[in-house]
Amino acid sequence: MSSYQTINPANNKLIKSWPGHNPQQVEQALDTAAKLYKSDWCKGDIQPRLQVLKKLAEIIDSRVDELAKIASVEMGKLIGQSRGEVQLCAQIARYYAENAERFLQPTRYPTELGEAWVENHPIGVLMAVEPWNFPYYQLMRVLAPNLAAGNPVLAKHASIVPHCASIFEQLVREAGAPEGAWTNMFISNDQVADLIADDRIQGAALTGSEKAGSIVASQAAKYLKKSTLELGGNDVFVVLDDCDLDEAVKQGAQARLNNAGQVCTAAKRFIVQQKVADRFLEKFTAAFKAVKIGDPLDESTTLGPLSSEGARDSLVKQVKAAVENGATLHYGGNAVEGDGCFYQPTILTDIARSNPAYFEEFFGPVAQVYVVKDDDEVVELANDSHYGLGGSVFTTDIERGKKLASRIETGMVYINSLTDTAAELPFGGVKRSGYGRELSDLGIKEFVNQKLVVVAKS
């Protein structure tokens, strides 16, 4: 039985099983990609590659509803959020179609040795391992910059989103990319490890859990290959005593419940200053109570299911353990009975540092609320984390917000907004949230050979 299955998490019905790739198919895919890397397609003029990205953006824009429905049925995302994700993918493809050539231009370096510059060249075939929570966007973040740069990609997607994985490959092919530019692989973790060990693979990109990141990074390091990791997060949502409280509550609820809380950059730890803590908690609880749980294809639903039974069951255990270790269950705290993988929006308070929940990432609609005295305590609590991905600060005093943002140890901080993403902005974190950046000009430079060329003074 294949481990790649489409199961609708809104009703737990199996829609389709997908056969895995056998060793011969894996070898064939790698051989095709490796040959493509040596060809003019990867090493020559960038324009044909950029035309593929431009066409890809047009195709995606013309099929938003169809692609959105596939994602919503397969992993439970609200249909409106799925549409937004699909549109973002078109924007990323278009962004690199329009900007990659400029990003990859040589950079001159003044030197007494003569004339010097750095060129940007592709490095070879990459192995990408991607998660289910944004089943198209995660793929596009790897594809767009690397297609532009000339690196072919073999992609292992999460086993619960095979339909998204296969349709994405079809879209890339339809846009005119040659065979080998992007290959979807239904393979096991052992097969991924074997591929990373192969001399024809030159880098590995992973978005996923801390555990998966550690395994892939170890294997890449063992074979001296470059890797980038975008892992978990335990992002703070800071509510300062001078903020617009209603706006903070509205964005805070969205920041925690978007995609049923299954977002690495979701707000997970709400750090609220004492003066406004009671009012914030009261309004925040009301926002959670107002949620409508249901079918993600219904436009009126505001909270869909978790992606799988496994995801729901681990959240049930986590919340139970948090309460057993002294946390107060302020609101919610149970799986929803009946069909599907639904979990109530939940608020935990009174979490001591000795509680395992203090350091854990809750990948679901569970908010932790902490109360602090002043800005220094905000920073202390924010930085007391194994993770360092994103974060938000809400305040009407922008200078105060900027000072706090500079002190928070994360890869991204948004002032007066939930943590967001855009093609033109770098995405990534520090600590156990990983290393490297995706998107923007930084993303395209992760897997290129920044080659120095010097013409000596005559």
Side-chain angles (χ1 to χ4, degrees):
M1 189 179 77
S2 168
S3 63
Y4 283 81
Q5 295 186 321
T6 299
I7 297 171
N8 184 340
N11 56 25
N12 293 340
K13 286 189 177 143
L14 172 66
I15 296 170
K16 185 177 175 180
S17 291
W18 306 72
H21 287 110
N22 63 38
Q24 292 76 21
Q25 289 169 308
V26 174
E27 171 54 36
Q28 175 65 54
L30 179 53
D31 183 59
T32 303
K35 283 178 176 150
L36 182 68
Y37 168 64
K38 291 180 176 173
S39 74
D40 275 353
W41 162 260
C42 290
K43 302 283 184 83
D45 181 19
I46 194 173
Q47 279 308 319
R49 302 195 296 274
L50 299 188
Q51 288 311 310
V52 169
L53 288 175
K54 188 164 172 262
K55 180 82 165 98
L56 181 57
E58 289 165 6
I59 294 170
I60 291 171
D61 273 338
S62 71
R63 293 170 65 177
V64 171
D65 288 343
E66 172 208 346
L67 296 170
K69 188 175 177 191
I70 290 169
S72 289
V73 167
E74 195 160 54
M75 52 71 60
K77 193 188 300 273
L78 298 185
I79 188 67
Q81 290 173 11
S82 289
R83 278 192 213 105
E85 179 182 342
V86 172
Q87 287 160 340
L88 176 60
C89 288
Q91 285 164 12
I92 294 168
R94 195 169 281 115
Y95 173 78
Y96 281 105
E98 291 169 359
N99 294 286
E101 189 166 25
R102 176 168 56 87
F103 294 154
L104 297 172
Q105 286 297 317
T107 307
R108 302 227 155 247
Y109 281 77
T111 171
E112 292 179 4
L113 298 183
E115 189 188 355
W117 63 91
V118 166
E119 299 173 352
N120 297 294
H121 296 281
I123 60 167
V125 185
L126 306 179
M127 181 76 231
V129 180
E130 299 302 321
W132 46 261
N133 59 338
F134 288 88
Y136 301 125
Y137 161 73
Q138 302 287 7
L139 302 185
M140 185 58 83
R141 282 201 327 211
V142 177
L143 169 85
N146 287 297
L147 187 105
N151 294 317
V153 180
L154 302 182
K156 181 215 176 293
H157 212 342
S159 61
I160 65 170
V161 286
H163 194 177
C164 290
S166 59
I167 199 98
F168 189 87
E169 182 185 49
Q170 286 169 30
L171 294 169
V172 176
R173 195 65 60 79
E174 208 180 307
E179 202 178 340
W182 177 272
T183 313
N184 171 54
M185 310 295 300
F186 290 145
I187 53 178
S188 67
N189 293 337
D190 289 345
Q191 286 172 300
V192 169
D194 292 344
L195 280 167
I196 292 171
D198 193 289
D199 284 344
R200 290 165 289 180
I201 295 274
Q202 287 304 308
L206 175 137
T207 297
S209 68
E210 202 183 316
K211 184 183 168 194
S214 176
I215 293 166
V216 165
S218 302
Q219 184 71 346
K222 183 179 175 185
Y223 292 95
L224 301 176
K225 292 173 186 178
K226 171 78 187 274
S227 61
T228 58
L229 303 179
E230 198 276 280
L231 308 176
N234 205 354
D235 286 13
V236 292
F237 189 98
V238 177
V239 181
L240 297 183
D241 48 22
D242 66 354
C243 77
D244 176 339
L245 205 58
D246 289 333
E247 185 61 20
V249 166
K250 181 181 152 204
Q251 293 221 30
Q254 194 186 338
R256 180 64 284 214
L257 302 179
N258 179 30
N259 203 20
Q262 302 166 118
V263 185
C264 47
T265 56
K268 290 163 190 156
R269 296 181 296 151
F270 290 78
I271 303 180
V272 189
Q273 291 193 328
Q274 236 158 15
K275 279 185 194 168
V276 292
D278 291 346
R279 280 163 52 225
F280 175 81
L281 191 55
E282 187 187 326
K283 287 169 182 278
F284 192 55
T285 309
F288 271 41
K289 281 181 179 166
V291 161
K292 185 188 171 199
I293 297 174
D295 180 358
L297 296 178
D298 180 343
E299 299 280 355
S300 68
T301 299
T302 56
L303 185 66
L306 294 177
S307 63
S308 65
E309 285 186 341
R312 181 201 58 204
D313 294 347
S314 22
L315 197 63
V316 167
K317 281 188 198 141
Q318 258 186 314
V319 172
K320 188 165 176 275
V323 174
E324 281 169 0
N325 282 279
T328 300
L329 183 60
H330 176 79
Y331 181 72
N334 292 299
V336 177
E337 286 182 14
D339 291 339
C341 310
F342 296 92
Y343 192 88
Q344 294 173 341
T346 296
I347 300 171
L348 296 171
T349 58
D350 306 315
I351 296 160
R353 195 174 186 276
S354 55
N355 192 327
Y358 183 93
F359 286 108
E360 285 174 356
E361 176 180 31
F362 283 66
F363 220 58
V366 179
Q368 302 183 3
V369 177
Y370 297 85
V371 180
V372 297
K373 282 201 302 284
D374 53 27
D375 291 15
D376 286 342
E377 279 195 9
V378 164
V379 173
E380 192 182 339
L381 182 50
N383 293 344
D384 191 17
S385 171
H386 300 315
Y387 295 107
L389 192 52
S392 300
V393 176
F394 275 73
T395 175
T396 49
D397 181 345
I398 300 302
E399 287 310 309
R400 182 185 182 194
K402 284 180 189 172
K403 283 195 182 103
L404 272 183
S406 294
R407 294 172 68 194
I408 292 172
E409 294 168 349
T410 57
M412 306 172 275
V413 180
Y414 281 71
I415 297 169
N416 292 335
S417 160
L418 48 79
T419 310
D420 206 345
T421 184
E424 65 277 10
L425 298 176
F427 189 103
V430 294
K431 303 187 193 178
R432 291 189 201 168
S433 291
Y435 48 78
R437 294 293 181 266
E438 292 186 320
L439 303 175
S440 79
D441 60 324
L442 301 186
I444 203 167
K445 296 284 181 73
E446 288 287 358
F447 293 104
V448 295
N449 172 13
Q450 299 181 30
K451 180 197 288 179
L452 174 68
V453 181
V454 180
V455 180
K457 275 182 179 166
S458 52

